[in-house]
Amino acid sequence: MISIARQSLVDKVSRRQKPDMNMLFLNIKVRRLQLVSDSLDELTRKQADLKKKLKVTFVGEAGLDLGGLTKEWFLLLIRQIFHPDYGMFTYHKDSNFHWFSSFKCDNYSEFRLVGTLMGLAVYNSITLDIRFPPCCYKKLLSPPIVPCDQNIPVGLASVTLDDLYQIMPELAHGLNELLTYEGNVEEDFYSTFQVFQEEFGVIKSYNLKPGGDKIPVTNQNRKEYVQLYVDFLLNKTIHKQFSAFYYGFHSVCSSNALMLLRPEEVEILVCGSPELDMHALQKNTHYDGYQKTDLTVRYFWDVVLGFPLELQKKFLHFATGSDRVPVGGMVDLNFKISKNETSTNWLPTAHTCFNQLCLPPYKTKKELKQKLTIAISNSEGFGLQ
């Protein structure tokens, strides 16, 4: 597709016609108040352009997308789609992970949108602040190449109790206790191969195997029960949701190279690396209004480099919208510290869309540390100024 667009440009130049530079880009135009629906419509209509450089325009707003609008589009979409009230994903506080809602619906296109967003982020080198467990990426590679036959199921991975521990540790712990129980399982637990789930306030029952409501769980078959229950939760109940998500991701990232990647490597492509090197960030930081030798800047780096890891992650999340590092390292963040000519009573602020920290000229290291700590400890990380 890119080669065709380039050839068209060459042909137009040779005929002295004004080339259409838009041919080289995936141009997305959205309204802020209809962000999800407009994004879904645009990406559905422009499937053939998904592997072009992304450019985003917010309708009614002037300005060129030099990268900031694209990142803002990702940030706003992710924040809206993953909000608990939206109902697509469930946030598990015990594990700090999101998982797919098992609620049935008539249209799973928005799950495909999330998969497409992840693929576009990888393709456009945008690090997403998405909290999916490792087994999600294992399922994304099941299989790594999209099958030609659409009837072949996708996203069904071999899952274990360890995978469930990563998402729902309390439930997994209970199932593990069932496996290690030394008494009479059938008499003491009085369970069958039937499980229950609440859907929109209604309790529904599901058999883990044919006739499961009449099959008691015993010491002899409890391993089968646990395995079927784990498969039910991580595969079967979300099969349609995850299939749409799978096809969305692979609509952008389909490549034989995925066959060479492990699930954890796909996670790093999407979310970045959790390994922080703040000295590398210092080395590759740009300045606007400051020099790296200025006293405020020296105080700043003394403070940040002295932070414990947890505060360093909070700082990175505050300034960039993610506490992870792009695959290319800190240099790819293009991090900038700008001088904020305001009162030193003000807290630092951030333009997360541009990976930019706005820092007032604090006079002492103590004041800078206090103000910065307050700012990064009381922020969602979406410092959209």
Side-chain angles (χ1 to χ4, degrees), residues 16-305:
R16 296 185 178 181
Q17 294 179 357
K18 184 178 179 179
D20 181 10
M21 297 302 294
N22 287 330
M23 292 181 63
L24 293 178
F25 298 98
L26 167 59
N27 292 286
I28 300 294
K29 294 183 179 181
V30 294
R31 297 165 294 177
R32 288 186 183 271
L33 294 179
Q34 285 80 34
L35 188 65
V36 175
S37 58
D38 282 2
S39 299
L40 182 60
D41 291 342
E42 285 281 85
L43 294 176
T44 300
R45 288 191 302 106
K46 298 176 179 179
Q47 286 287 314
D49 295 336
L50 292 180
K51 295 187 179 182
K52 295 180 181 179
K53 176 69 175 176
L54 177 62
K55 283 190 176 295
V56 175
T57 302
F58 288 98
V59 175
E61 300 180 22
L64 296 174
D65 184 9
L66 301 178
L69 293 179
T70 292
K71 187 173 180 183
E72 183 181 5
W73 178 69
F74 276 111
L75 287 172
L76 293 175
L77 267 177
I78 294 301
R79 180 165 60 176
Q80 183 169 335
I81 288 173
F82 282 83
H83 194 282
D85 293 343
Y86 207 71
M88 288 180 63
F89 297 93
T90 300
Y91 179 69
H92 295 273
K93 291 183 179 180
D94 291 345
S95 61
N96 197 31
F97 283 129
H98 286 96
W99 192 242
F100 295 76
S101 169
S102 60
F103 294 158
K104 305 297 185 293
C105 60
D106 296 328
N107 190 346
Y108 296 94
S109 57
E110 290 186 354
F111 286 98
R112 184 179 179 108
L113 170 63
V114 179
T116 303
L117 282 176
M118 277 181 47
L120 287 173
V122 171
Y123 203 77
N124 289 272
S125 301
I126 301 289
T127 300
L128 294 183
D129 187 31
I130 291 181
R131 305 291 180 178
F132 280 137
C135 74
C136 174
Y137 301 96
K138 180 163 61 173
K139 287 165 67 65
L140 263 183
L141 295 177
S142 301
I145 303 298
V146 178
C148 297
D149 185 353
Q150 295 291 309
N151 293 319
I152 296 177
V154 297
L156 298 178
S158 176
V159 289
T160 67
L161 190 59
D162 288 338
D163 293 312
L164 188 63
Y165 258 113
Q166 295 169 348
I167 310 168
M168 310 171 196
E170 188 174 339
L171 174 58
H173 178 72
L175 291 174
N176 188 60
E177 286 195 335
L178 172 66
L179 290 175
T180 57
Y181 187 66
E182 295 181 355
N184 189 308
V185 169
E186 182 177 1
E187 292 181 358
D188 296 344
F189 283 82
Y190 201 68
S191 296
T192 66
F193 277 69
Q194 184 182 61
V195 293
F196 300 89
Q197 279 194 333
E198 181 181 340
E199 297 180 12
F200 302 108
V202 178
I203 302 297
K204 293 189 175 182
S205 61
Y206 296 92
N207 287 343
L208 297 179
K209 58 191 298 188
D213 57 321
K214 296 180 175 58
I215 302 174
V217 179
T218 67
N219 293 63
Q220 290 72 36
N221 64 18
R222 57 185 171 180
K223 286 185 179 180
E224 179 190 13
Y225 169 80
V226 169
Q227 182 55 45
L228 288 175
Y229 197 6
V230 171
D231 185 68
F232 173 79
L233 291 171
L234 303 187
N235 279 326
K236 291 182 178 177
T237 59
I238 61 162
H239 174 57
K240 291 183 179 179
Q241 294 90 324
F242 200 92
S243 290
F245 174 76
Y246 172 96
Y247 282 116
F249 179 79
H250 286 271
S251 67
V252 184
C253 290
S254 58
S255 169
N256 290 334
L258 288 177
M259 298 179 66
L260 306 176
L261 296 181
R262 301 189 303 272
E264 55 269 27
E265 292 171 326
V266 177
E267 180 181 7
I268 289 175
L269 284 176
V270 174
C271 303
S273 170
E275 301 298 325
L276 302 190
D277 183 351
M278 302 307 285
H279 288 282
L281 181 63
Q282 179 185 20
K283 181 180 178 181
N284 292 284
T285 294
H286 307 281
Y287 299 95
D288 180 16
Y290 282 118
Q291 300 292 326
K292 66 180 179 180
T293 55
D294 288 345
L295 199 57
T296 301
V297 172
R298 285 157 53 193
Y299 287 156
F300 170 80
W301 286 115
D302 284 347
V303 168
V304 170
L305 294 175

